[in-house]
Tab-separated table of all heavy atoms in Angstrom:
chain	number	residue	atom	x	y	z
L	1	ALA	N	0.846	-1.198	0.000
L	1	ALA	CA	0.000	0.000	0.000
L	1	ALA	C	0.881	1.247	0.000
L	1	ALA	O	1.917	1.287	0.648
L	1	ALA	CB	-0.915	-0.008	1.211
L	2	TRP	N	0.454	2.247	-0.729
L	2	TRP	CA	1.187	3.500	-0.742
L	2	TRP	C	1.170	4.137	0.641
L	2	TRP	O	0.178	4.046	1.366
L	2	TRP	CB	0.577	4.463	-1.759
L	2	TRP	CG	0.839	4.064	-3.179
L	2	TRP	CD1	0.140	3.162	-3.924
L	2	TRP	CD2	1.894	4.534	-4.006
L	2	TRP	NE1	0.689	3.043	-5.171
L	2	TRP	CE2	1.781	3.883	-5.256
L	2	TRP	CE3	2.940	5.444	-3.831
L	2	TRP	CZ2	2.653	4.113	-6.312
L	2	TRP	CZ3	3.801	5.680	-4.881
L	2	TRP	CH2	3.679	5.027	-6.105
L	3	VAL	N	2.269	4.771	1.003
L	3	VAL	CA	2.439	5.343	2.337
L	3	VAL	C	2.449	6.861	2.246
L	3	VAL	O	3.195	7.443	1.446
L	3	VAL	CB	3.765	4.855	2.961
L	3	VAL	CG1	4.007	5.530	4.308
L	3	VAL	CG2	3.753	3.343	3.113
L	4	GLU	N	1.616	7.506	3.049
L	4	GLU	CA	1.607	8.966	3.093
L	4	GLU	C	2.851	9.462	3.823
L	4	GLU	O	3.192	8.959	4.891
L	4	GLU	CB	0.343	9.465	3.786
L	4	GLU	CG	-0.934	9.187	3.011
L	4	GLU	CD	-2.142	9.792	3.677
L	4	GLU	OE1	-2.036	10.185	4.864
L	4	GLU	OE2	-3.215	9.874	3.031
L	5	VAL	N	3.506	10.453	3.230
L	5	VAL	CA	4.762	10.971	3.784
L	5	VAL	C	4.558	12.345	4.413
L	5	VAL	O	4.825	12.552	5.600
L	5	VAL	CB	5.847	11.051	2.689
L	5	VAL	CG1	7.134	11.653	3.260
L	5	VAL	CG2	6.110	9.677	2.092
L	6	ALA	N	4.105	13.288	3.617
L	6	ALA	CA	3.923	14.660	4.108
L	6	ALA	C	3.114	15.426	3.086
L	6	ALA	O	2.979	15.018	1.923
L	6	ALA	CB	5.269	15.337	4.327
L	7	ARG	N	2.565	16.541	3.502
L	7	ARG	CA	1.869	17.411	2.566
L	7	ARG	C	2.891	18.132	1.684
L	7	ARG	O	4.028	18.368	2.102
L	7	ARG	CB	0.987	18.421	3.311
L	7	ARG	CG	-0.115	17.742	4.129
L	7	ARG	CD	-1.167	18.733	4.577
L	7	ARG	NE	-2.203	18.047	5.345
L	7	ARG	CZ	-3.228	17.377	4.790
L	7	ARG	NH1	-3.325	17.311	3.474
L	7	ARG	NH2	-4.126	16.782	5.547
L	8	THR	N	2.475	18.463	0.499
L	8	THR	CA	3.391	19.106	-0.444
L	8	THR	C	3.937	20.414	0.111
L	8	THR	O	5.081	20.776	-0.146
L	8	THR	CB	2.673	19.374	-1.776
L	8	THR	OG1	1.469	20.133	-1.531
L	8	THR	CG2	2.310	18.064	-2.478
L	9	SER	N	3.141	21.104	0.912
L	9	SER	CA	3.586	22.384	1.479
L	9	SER	C	4.718	22.191	2.490
L	9	SER	O	5.430	23.144	2.814
L	9	SER	CB	2.415	23.105	2.146
L	9	SER	OG	1.849	22.289	3.172
L	10	ALA	N	4.877	20.960	3.002
L	10	ALA	CA	5.924	20.700	4.001
L	10	ALA	C	7.260	20.345	3.366
L	10	ALA	O	8.279	20.294	4.068
L	10	ALA	CB	5.489	19.577	4.937
L	11	MET	N	7.284	20.074	2.075
L	11	MET	CA	8.534	19.709	1.405
L	11	MET	C	9.385	20.952	1.170
L	11	MET	O	8.877	22.002	0.770
L	11	MET	CB	8.250	19.010	0.082
L	11	MET	CG	7.418	17.737	0.197
L	11	MET	SD	8.185	16.436	1.182
L	11	MET	CE	9.658	16.078	0.221
L	12	ARG	N	10.698	20.835	1.414
L	12	ARG	CA	11.635	21.949	1.223
L	12	ARG	C	12.598	21.616	0.095
L	12	ARG	O	13.132	20.505	0.028
L	12	ARG	CB	12.437	22.214	2.497
L	12	ARG	CG	11.624	22.737	3.662
L	12	ARG	CD	12.518	22.846	4.893
L	12	ARG	NE	13.675	23.689	4.669
L	12	ARG	CZ	14.779	23.678	5.414
L	12	ARG	NH1	14.870	22.829	6.432
L	12	ARG	NH2	15.780	24.488	5.137
L	13	GLU	N	12.810	22.560	-0.771
L	13	GLU	CA	13.730	22.367	-1.888
L	13	GLU	C	15.134	22.043	-1.377
L	13	GLU	O	15.693	22.741	-0.538
L	13	GLU	CB	13.769	23.635	-2.752
L	13	GLU	CG	14.723	23.577	-3.927
L	13	GLU	CD	14.281	22.585	-4.998
L	13	GLU	OE1	13.059	22.374	-5.169
L	13	GLU	OE2	15.176	22.019	-5.661
L	14	GLY	N	15.689	20.933	-1.892
L	14	GLY	CA	17.041	20.533	-1.524
L	14	GLY	C	17.134	19.703	-0.267
L	14	GLY	O	18.235	19.334	0.149
L	15	TYR	N	15.991	19.370	0.333
L	15	TYR	CA	15.987	18.584	1.575
L	15	TYR	C	15.026	17.408	1.440
L	15	TYR	O	14.324	17.267	0.439
L	15	TYR	CB	15.595	19.460	2.773
L	15	TYR	CG	16.642	20.484	3.129
L	15	TYR	CD1	16.640	21.745	2.530
L	15	TYR	CD2	17.641	20.188	4.051
L	15	TYR	CE1	17.604	22.688	2.852
L	15	TYR	CE2	18.602	21.129	4.380
L	15	TYR	CZ	18.581	22.376	3.774
L	15	TYR	OH	19.543	23.306	4.085
L	16	ALA	N	14.997	16.568	2.487
L	16	ALA	CA	14.186	15.354	2.441
L	16	ALA	C	13.241	15.267	3.614
L	16	ALA	O	13.470	15.865	4.671
L	16	ALA	CB	15.083	14.116	2.424
L	17	LYS	N	12.182	14.489	3.428
L	17	LYS	CA	11.330	14.024	4.506
L	17	LYS	C	11.589	12.530	4.659
L	17	LYS	O	11.674	11.806	3.667
L	17	LYS	CB	9.851	14.262	4.198
L	17	LYS	CG	9.419	15.712	4.277
L	17	LYS	CD	9.405	16.200	5.726
L	17	LYS	CE	8.906	17.639	5.812
L	17	LYS	NZ	8.927	18.123	7.213
L	18	ILE	N	11.714	12.075	5.905
L	18	ILE	CA	12.028	10.669	6.166
L	18	ILE	C	10.804	9.991	6.765
L	18	ILE	O	10.178	10.528	7.682
L	18	ILE	CB	13.217	10.536	7.134
L	18	ILE	CG1	14.448	11.239	6.562
L	18	ILE	CG2	13.533	9.070	7.401
L	18	ILE	CD1	15.594	11.356	7.537
L	19	THR	N	10.458	8.822	6.229
L	19	THR	CA	9.344	8.054	6.770
L	19	THR	C	9.797	6.616	7.007
L	19	THR	O	10.711	6.127	6.338
L	19	THR	CB	8.128	8.085	5.822
L	19	THR	OG1	6.996	7.533	6.495
L	19	THR	CG2	8.393	7.292	4.554
L	20	ARG	N	9.164	5.957	7.964
L	20	ARG	CA	9.493	4.573	8.287
L	20	ARG	C	8.369	3.662	7.816
L	20	ARG	O	7.199	3.891	8.104
L	20	ARG	CB	9.732	4.403	9.794
L	20	ARG	CG	10.185	3.008	10.182
L	20	ARG	CD	10.968	3.050	11.484
L	20	ARG	NE	10.164	3.490	12.608
L	20	ARG	CZ	9.647	2.659	13.521
L	20	ARG	NH1	9.842	1.361	13.416
L	20	ARG	NH2	8.960	3.122	14.527
L	21	LEU	N	8.718	2.603	7.102
L	21	LEU	CA	7.756	1.666	6.554
L	21	LEU	C	7.403	0.604	7.591
L	21	LEU	O	8.030	0.504	8.647
L	21	LEU	CB	8.317	1.022	5.288
L	21	LEU	CG	8.792	1.997	4.203
L	21	LEU	CD1	9.409	1.230	3.043
L	21	LEU	CD2	7.640	2.871	3.733
L	22	SER	N	6.398	-0.207	7.254
L	22	SER	CA	5.939	-1.227	8.199
L	22	SER	C	7.000	-2.282	8.474
L	22	SER	O	6.986	-2.925	9.522
L	22	SER	CB	4.672	-1.899	7.662
L	22	SER	OG	4.919	-2.481	6.389
L	23	ASN	N	7.948	-2.474	7.534
L	23	ASN	CA	9.019	-3.460	7.749
L	23	ASN	C	10.213	-2.879	8.495
L	23	ASN	O	11.225	-3.556	8.693
L	23	ASN	CB	9.478	-4.045	6.413
L	23	ASN	CG	10.051	-2.997	5.474
L	23	ASN	OD1	10.143	-1.822	5.825
L	23	ASN	ND2	10.420	-3.415	4.277
L	24	GLY	N	10.119	-1.613	8.902
L	24	GLY	CA	11.191	-0.975	9.657
L	24	GLY	C	12.163	-0.178	8.829
L	24	GLY	O	12.963	0.587	9.368
L	25	ASP	N	12.135	-0.360	7.492
L	25	ASP	CA	13.045	0.401	6.633
L	25	ASP	C	12.640	1.875	6.612
L	25	ASP	O	11.449	2.212	6.680
L	25	ASP	CB	13.021	-0.150	5.198
L	25	ASP	CG	13.621	-1.533	5.098
L	25	ASP	OD1	14.376	-1.909	6.022
L	25	ASP	OD2	13.335	-2.242	4.117
L	26	ARG	N	13.636	2.735	6.474
L	26	ARG	CA	13.379	4.165	6.369
L	26	ARG	C	13.653	4.641	4.946
L	26	ARG	O	14.626	4.214	4.322
L	26	ARG	CB	14.244	4.947	7.369
L	26	ARG	CG	13.715	4.888	8.798
L	26	ARG	CD	14.620	5.653	9.758
L	26	ARG	NE	13.975	5.889	11.046
L	26	ARG	CZ	13.892	5.009	12.028
L	26	ARG	NH1	14.450	3.818	11.876
L	26	ARG	NH2	13.281	5.300	13.152
L	27	VAL	N	12.799	5.528	4.470
L	27	VAL	CA	12.901	6.057	3.113
L	27	VAL	C	13.041	7.569	3.201
L	27	VAL	O	12.351	8.222	3.992
L	27	VAL	CB	11.666	5.687	2.267
L	27	VAL	CG1	11.801	6.243	0.851
L	27	VAL	CG2	11.481	4.181	2.232
L	28	ALA	N	13.948	8.133	2.385
L	28	ALA	CA	14.141	9.582	2.315
L	28	ALA	C	13.567	10.084	1.000
L	28	ALA	O	13.980	9.629	-0.077
L	28	ALA	CB	15.624	9.924	2.418
L	29	ILE	N	12.588	10.996	1.069
L	29	ILE	CA	11.943	11.556	-0.122
L	29	ILE	C	12.452	12.977	-0.300
L	29	ILE	O	12.211	13.848	0.551
L	29	ILE	CB	10.404	11.536	0.004
L	29	ILE	CG1	9.911	10.097	0.196
L	29	ILE	CG2	9.770	12.156	-1.234
L	29	ILE	CD1	9.856	9.632	1.619
L	30	PHE	N	13.175	13.222	-1.387
L	30	PHE	CA	13.832	14.512	-1.625
L	30	PHE	C	13.040	15.350	-2.619
L	30	PHE	O	12.418	14.824	-3.552
L	30	PHE	CB	15.239	14.294	-2.188
L	30	PHE	CG	16.209	13.699	-1.197
L	30	PHE	CD1	16.335	12.325	-1.084
L	30	PHE	CD2	16.993	14.503	-0.396
L	30	PHE	CE1	17.225	11.763	-0.184
L	30	PHE	CE2	17.894	13.954	0.510
L	30	PHE	CZ	18.003	12.584	0.612
L	31	LEU	N	13.094	16.665	-2.428
L	31	LEU	CA	12.571	17.621	-3.391
L	31	LEU	C	13.757	18.313	-4.048
L	31	LEU	O	14.517	19.011	-3.387
L	31	LEU	CB	11.669	18.654	-2.708
L	31	LEU	CG	11.097	19.755	-3.614
L	31	LEU	CD1	10.249	19.157	-4.725
L	31	LEU	CD2	10.276	20.758	-2.803
L	32	MET	N	13.916	18.075	-5.353
L	32	MET	CA	15.066	18.615	-6.079
L	32	MET	C	14.581	19.248	-7.375
L	32	MET	O	13.932	18.589	-8.199
L	32	MET	CB	16.067	17.493	-6.403
L	32	MET	CG	17.251	17.939	-7.241
L	32	MET	SD	18.162	16.526	-7.916
L	32	MET	CE	16.943	15.833	-9.038
L	33	ASP	N	14.854	20.543	-7.533
L	33	ASP	CA	14.431	21.274	-8.733
L	33	ASP	C	12.936	21.121	-8.982
L	33	ASP	O	12.473	20.947	-10.123
L	33	ASP	CB	15.213	20.808	-9.963
L	33	ASP	CG	16.702	21.096	-9.847
L	33	ASP	OD1	17.056	22.060	-9.138
L	33	ASP	OD2	17.503	20.356	-10.449
L	34	GLY	N	12.160	21.140	-7.909
L	34	GLY	CA	10.723	21.043	-8.036
L	34	GLY	C	10.203	19.651	-8.328
L	34	GLY	O	9.021	19.487	-8.645
L	35	LYS	N	11.061	18.617	-8.202
L	35	LYS	CA	10.651	17.244	-8.481
L	35	LYS	C	11.010	16.345	-7.293
L	35	LYS	O	11.976	16.608	-6.575
L	35	LYS	CB	11.321	16.731	-9.750
L	35	LYS	CG	10.932	17.520	-11.005
L	35	LYS	CD	11.642	16.979	-12.237
L	35	LYS	CE	11.254	17.763	-13.485
L	35	LYS	NZ	11.941	17.239	-14.693
L	36	LEU	N	10.241	15.272	-7.129
L	36	LEU	CA	10.390	14.370	-5.990
L	36	LEU	C	11.078	13.073	-6.400
L	36	LEU	O	10.772	12.488	-7.444
L	36	LEU	CB	9.014	14.038	-5.397
L	36	LEU	CG	8.231	15.222	-4.818
L	36	LEU	CD1	6.773	14.828	-4.598
L	36	LEU	CD2	8.857	15.690	-3.510
L	37	SER	N	12.021	12.628	-5.554
L	37	SER	CA	12.698	11.347	-5.730
L	37	SER	C	12.867	10.717	-4.361
L	37	SER	O	12.977	11.417	-3.347
L	37	SER	CB	14.068	11.524	-6.403
L	37	SER	OG	13.937	12.027	-7.719
L	38	ALA	N	12.917	9.382	-4.328
L	38	ALA	CA	13.021	8.683	-3.048
L	38	ALA	C	14.070	7.586	-3.119
L	38	ALA	O	14.119	6.818	-4.086
L	38	ALA	CB	11.671	8.087	-2.647
L	39	ILE	N	14.914	7.529	-2.095
L	39	ILE	CA	15.920	6.481	-1.962
L	39	ILE	C	15.920	5.975	-0.528
L	39	ILE	O	15.302	6.580	0.348
L	39	ILE	CB	17.342	6.985	-2.330
L	39	ILE	CG1	17.753	8.121	-1.383
L	39	ILE	CG2	17.414	7.425	-3.782
L	39	ILE	CD1	19.195	8.596	-1.607
L	40	SER	N	16.607	4.856	-0.302
L	40	SER	CA	16.756	4.357	1.064
L	40	SER	C	17.466	5.399	1.911
L	40	SER	O	18.377	6.091	1.435
L	40	SER	CB	17.546	3.054	1.057
L	40	SER	OG	17.925	2.684	2.366
L	41	ASN	N	17.066	5.500	3.164
L	41	ASN	CA	17.712	6.450	4.070
L	41	ASN	C	19.036	5.931	4.596
L	41	ASN	O	19.786	6.666	5.240
L	41	ASN	CB	16.782	6.742	5.254
L	41	ASN	CG	17.267	7.890	6.109
L	41	ASN	OD1	17.556	8.976	5.616
L	41	ASN	ND2	17.391	7.650	7.410
L	42	ALA	N	19.368	4.651	4.342
L	42	ALA	CA	20.573	4.025	4.896
L	42	ALA	C	21.702	4.043	3.883
L	42	ALA	O	21.627	3.402	2.827
L	42	ALA	CB	20.279	2.586	5.333
L	43	CYS	N	22.771	4.766	4.201
L	43	CYS	CA	23.958	4.815	3.345
L	43	CYS	C	24.574	3.414	3.252
L	43	CYS	O	24.616	2.670	4.244
L	43	CYS	CB	24.963	5.803	3.919
L	43	CYS	SG	26.536	5.887	3.035
L	44	ALA	N	25.061	3.051	2.072
L	44	ALA	CA	25.674	1.736	1.874
L	44	ALA	C	26.997	1.598	2.604
L	44	ALA	O	27.515	0.490	2.746
L	44	ALA	CB	25.874	1.473	0.373
L	45	HIS	N	27.555	2.704	3.095
L	45	HIS	CA	28.841	2.660	3.776
L	45	HIS	C	28.677	2.167	5.212
L	45	HIS	O	29.149	1.088	5.570
L	45	HIS	CB	29.485	4.054	3.756
L	45	HIS	CG	30.769	4.143	4.495
L	45	HIS	ND1	31.091	5.224	5.277
L	45	HIS	CD2	31.806	3.290	4.595
L	45	HIS	CE1	32.283	5.035	5.815
L	45	HIS	NE2	32.745	3.870	5.418
């Protein structure tokens, strides 16, 4: 099921909102140049 993250008004250009999924994983949703992208919040390092 799709997960609600935040309202569009809460997104900041160049920054992310972090949400935690039901399996415990965290996702970072970034606003970049007026567009949204999402990656895992956990660095591979």
Side-chain angles (χ1 to χ4, degrees):
W2 288 83
V3 176
E4 293 185 346
V5 177
R7 298 194 180 278
T8 54
S9 58
M11 301 299 297
R12 293 175 57 199
E13 178 68 31
Y15 291 88
K17 287 289 183 182
I18 302 171
T19 190
R20 185 155 64 102
L21 306 176
S22 58
N23 61 2
D25 292 340
R26 282 179 166 81
V27 180
I29 301 88
F30 291 89
L31 178 60
M32 176 194 66
D33 297 333
K35 298 179 180 180
L36 297 166
S37 296
I39 61 175
S40 169
N41 190 52
C43 176
H45 177 220

